[in-house]
Amino acid sequence: MSYRILLACLLLLAAGTVQAEPRGSELYAQHCSSCHGDAGMGGVGVPIALPSFLGGVTDDYLFKTIQLGRPGRVMPAFHQLSADEIHAIVAHIRELGGVPEPGLPEVAVDGDPLRGQALYAQHCAQCHGANGEGGRGTGVTFSRPRDLPIIAPALNNSGFQQAASDAMIRHTLIHGRAGTPMISFIEAGLSEQDIDDIITHLRGLTPEPPIEDSEAAIMVVDSPYDLDSTVENLRQAVISKNFRIIREQTLEDGLRPEGQDSKKEVILYFCNFNFLNEALTIDPRVGLFLPCRITAVEDADGGVQLMAINPLRLSDLFNNRELDAACEEMHTIYRDLLEEATL
């Protein structure tokens, strides 16, 4: 092999290596920006580019938070990302805030958990919950005002407990988080031993159990009636449940030229505005599935089925345990409507 060919091969290999490196900005845009914002200043998710935040957390904390998520607390676990990809995202988050990783010293916290429990109840529980379950809600305008940048995180969450070191929690309690409701508890009058007692109590909190396995994605019921009768039965069932019919359309409406869409698949949209507002308050992302809809489908043999999304999947899909009660209620409503329309 000549020198020129060998040099060309080396250059190609080098170019391939550079191209293969994960790009944090692209990965962030793909996986993070929809919740945390393009500039990392929050939305549904917390503002992660705040200097007071980045100045108090290590890269290891950010890495584990992305890798493990917060089970049941909106932030998913990104198991599909490689370690290199997560490191690239962490580096990009640092660039967004322009704050380097702080040198937090290793701290061996030795506190009194009973004393810490009393201090926690007095100073922390109002925001973080009696058992560290965190504040309720997510997202601006529905569950929190625009001037409140963050919902208090769940301290008993297994993801937080694994990601946050004692040193990081200690730094946060001592310095607070400028730009958020989290204050400096040293300035509030607590001693460093008080803070160590609180940390020791936090480490003993009982974490939330993991979310159960997913249900089927779609609810399907066979109808003994023809398509028109089934749709009419469904209309009456929806009205009897105090829902308002929003519109009725074919599945292919807008996808084919007018008049050429199949009349064998019909979607009925309906809504109860009180329920809609309550669900959006818990998690605005459920707007993707609202208003409610059920689809009636006639197959080639004349058989008819009613189909709806399974609301029990939403808590899993959005990683939000707060949705459980609303999803149970919506599942019951869908089940009753499907049964009533096909009796």
Side-chain angles (χ1 to χ4, degrees):
M1 179 181 297
S2 72
Y3 172 75
R4 290 184 176 178
I5 294 176
L6 177 61
L7 179 59
C9 290
L10 290 174
L11 289 174
L12 285 173
L13 285 173
T17 301
V18 170
Q19 193 172 19
E21 288 180 355
R23 300 187 61 175
S25 59
E26 294 176 0
L27 291 165
Y28 178 88
Q30 181 179 356
H31 299 288
C32 316
S33 63
S34 60
C35 287
H36 294 286
D38 293 341
M41 295 311 291
V44 172
V46 301
I48 52 178
L50 281 178
S52 63
F53 170 72
L54 289 177
V57 301
T58 62
D59 286 359
D60 182 66
Y61 171 80
L62 296 173
F63 183 97
K64 288 178 179 175
T65 294
I66 296 170
Q67 186 180 55
L68 303 173
R70 297 286 185 269
R73 290 285 294 183
V74 180
M75 174 70 186
F78 289 88
H79 296 306
Q80 74 277 25
L81 297 179
S82 69
D84 287 345
E85 289 173 326
I86 296 177
H87 281 303
I89 293 174
V90 170
H92 179 68
I93 293 172
R94 289 283 175 203
E95 291 176 0
L96 286 177
V99 178
E101 182 181 20
L104 297 181
E106 290 295 327
V107 176
V109 168
D110 182 16
D112 179 343
L114 291 178
R115 191 166 176 275
Q117 183 178 20
L119 289 166
Y120 176 88
Q122 182 179 354
H123 297 283
C124 313
Q126 183 177 1
C127 293
H128 292 280
N131 192 43
E133 63 271 24
R136 298 200 62 190
T138 182
V140 294
T141 69
F142 285 109
S143 56
R144 64 180 168 88
R146 290 185 181 276
D147 58 354
L148 181 63
I150 186 172
I151 297 291
L155 306 177
N156 69 347
N157 189 276
S158 60
F160 174 82
Q161 290 278 345
Q162 293 178 75
S165 67
D166 287 356
M168 194 208 86
I169 299 173
R170 198 167 195 264
H171 184 278
T172 301
L173 286 164
I174 289 175
H175 298 281
R177 294 270 169 78
T180 79
M182 183 70 190
I183 63 172
S184 161
F185 282 94
I186 289 293
E187 294 178 1
L190 297 189
S191 68
E192 293 197 9
Q193 184 58 55
D194 292 335
I195 286 173
D196 286 352
D197 291 344
I198 292 174
I199 295 171
T200 305
H201 166 66
L202 291 180
R203 290 304 189 194
L205 292 176
T206 303
E208 290 274 356
I211 292 178
E212 300 295 330
D213 291 339
S214 296
E215 295 264 334
I218 304 294
M219 303 172 69
V220 182
V221 174
D222 293 324
S223 173
Y225 307 105
D226 61 30
L227 181 64
D228 290 342
S229 299
T230 301
V231 172
E232 178 57 28
N233 290 345
L234 182 60
R235 291 192 198 100
Q236 297 305 318
V238 166
I239 293 171
S240 72
K241 294 290 183 185
N242 294 321
F243 279 74
R244 180 179 297 180
I245 294 176
I246 304 297
R247 71 178 184 275
E248 181 180 322
Q249 67 177 66
T250 64
L251 183 64
E252 296 178 339
D253 183 29
L255 300 177
R256 290 179 177 273
E258 188 174 356
Q260 295 184 22
D261 53 321
S262 171
K263 308 301 182 185
K264 302 296 186 182
E265 299 97 15
V266 178
I267 309 175
L268 194 67
Y269 289 87
F270 51 96
C271 180
N272 178 310
F273 288 99
N274 288 332
F275 182 84
L276 182 146
N277 286 332
E278 290 172 4
L280 290 174
T281 298
I282 298 170
D283 193 324
R285 296 173 298 173
V286 300
L288 293 169
F289 296 93
L290 296 174
C292 303
R293 70 204 68 170
I294 294 177
T295 304
V297 177
E298 180 181 313
D299 63 26
D301 298 323
V304 176
Q305 289 184 317
L306 290 177
M307 303 177 183
I309 64 161
N310 187 344
L312 296 180
R313 285 289 295 271
L314 291 183
S315 289
D316 292 0
L317 183 63
F318 291 144
N319 192 44
N320 189 350
R321 198 181 300 274
E322 285 187 62
L323 281 175
D324 286 356
C327 290
E328 290 276 358
E329 181 181 353
M330 199 62 234
H331 177 266
T332 300
I333 291 171
Y334 271 137
R335 184 198 60 201
D336 291 349
L337 289 174
L338 295 175
E339 289 179 356
E340 191 170 329
T342 56
L343 282 176

